Amino acid sequence: MQQTAETRSQAFVRTYLLGRRAAIAAGVCLVSFAAFWTAQRMTGVSMIDLMVYRAEGWTVRTGGDLYAMRATYADLQTTYPPFGALLFLPLTLLDVPDMRTLATAGNLVLLVTVVHLSLQLIGRPARASRPAASLLIASVAVWCEPVWTTLRYGQINLLLTALVLWDLSRRSGHRWAGVGIGIAAGIKLTPALFAVFLAACGVVQCMRGVRKGGGVGSWWNPGLRQATVATGAFLGTVLLGAIVLPHDSRRFWLDAVFRSERVGHTDITDNQALSGVVARLLHTGQPGLPWLVSTAVVALLGLAVAVAAASAGPRRLPYASAWAAVTCAFTALLVSPVSWSHHWVWCVPAVMLLAAETLRRDRAPAWLVLTGTAALVFCSYGLWLVPYGEKGTVRPELSQSAGEMVLSGLYAAFALGFLAVASTVAVRALRKPAPYEPDSLTGGSTRRTAKSACRPEPCESRRQAVAKE
């Protein structure tokens, strides 16, 4: 009877308390989302990028020249590969008000999805309800500047982030792992760096297998497999675009892809990539060689740090996968020719990762400060406190003061600081003795450290037991 009572109480906790917690979280999230939606409508958001997407879909539908198209009052051009325009075709079937409503609702759902996948990648919370935690975090994250601007413009950044996180949070060796990254890269090229990261991880794992005396079978591993699937999925999007839109595909891959000026001025405050920071520092619209050098250095170092974090593994580096993913994402945003502020929705998993590390380290002051700084940077809207936008023929970004340069480069500066922290964490983890872990190449065990090997007392007791028998 006592056991039955305990079973009933446990069932009560699972079904009622956890359900109640999720219901409360859902209520808080709905209130926050409703306030957000109201605030966006009161400010008269234009959702201008969504209108460009619709114009791209209409151009494809009517057989027009996709890369000669101009849309909206801002005379904006198509900047995505042809595959992206094919995905925008359904937008032409909706009225503009319905399209705006569905886009906003879809982005809010995608925000909850991004938070949930980030928690899954981190492995938090260990005891509480993950759906409830996802809803509560999303109710706060919706107010940060990159998310606000993404919904303001009707952008697809949350979709791309969800596709990448969906891939990275899958179990190792999953048959379709890599498809999400390939599709994301087919829509917008920046996520392709994740395929390079996976390939580098696979090469490192392959070299480890060769050093351990593995045969030809050790050359093929989950990292290389996932990178190959991602590459195949990306090439599939390119092929589909070439079959359906041959002229536009030829125009994009042979010409438009190399013209970064189609996106906009490099030096404007919106651009939080290294190109924008260097342009504002040098007071020029063409950063040239200094940008190329800094981009090459950051790309190599960022990829090395991401691979190091992934190679350390969860036993030596808790949240290793999350450290690697956010590091790779920030590296891609830094080295991209243009990274508008709304592209930085990766700040959501970044802040969540830092918060998880803070909790794991018993709220160490340094980590509390780092997490608070991250939240402040992306929720302060500080980069819009400087003069920006064209004033006649003069752009104020080309004559910024030192203080204005700091504010207009907040995201890039934080990302570089994050890479420095990630490199320190990864190097310290790699210096630890490698613990016992299953060998992903053979499915068996590889090695044990001195601490995880057979300890004197248990071994001695086993020998005595055998002797008695």
Side-chain angles (χ1 to χ4, degrees), residues 318-340:
Y319 319 135
S321 297
W323 278 107
V326 176
T327 299
C328 185
F330 277 176
T331 301
L333 290 169
L334 285 170
V335 304
S336 175
V338 173
S339 291
W340 305 132

Side-chain angles (χ1 to χ4, degrees), residues 12-34:
F12 174 82
V13 170
R14 286 196 301 269
T15 58
Y16 181 73
L17 291 184
L18 293 183
R20 184 180 181 184
R21 184 181 300 170
I24 293 173
V28 172
C29 187
L30 285 175
V31 170
S32 178
F33 282 5

Side-chain angles (χ1 to χ4, degrees), residues 222-241:
L224 289 177
R225 179 191 181 102
Q226 194 169 0
T228 302
V229 172
T231 304
F234 170 70
L235 293 177
T237 66
V238 175
L239 179 61
L240 178 61

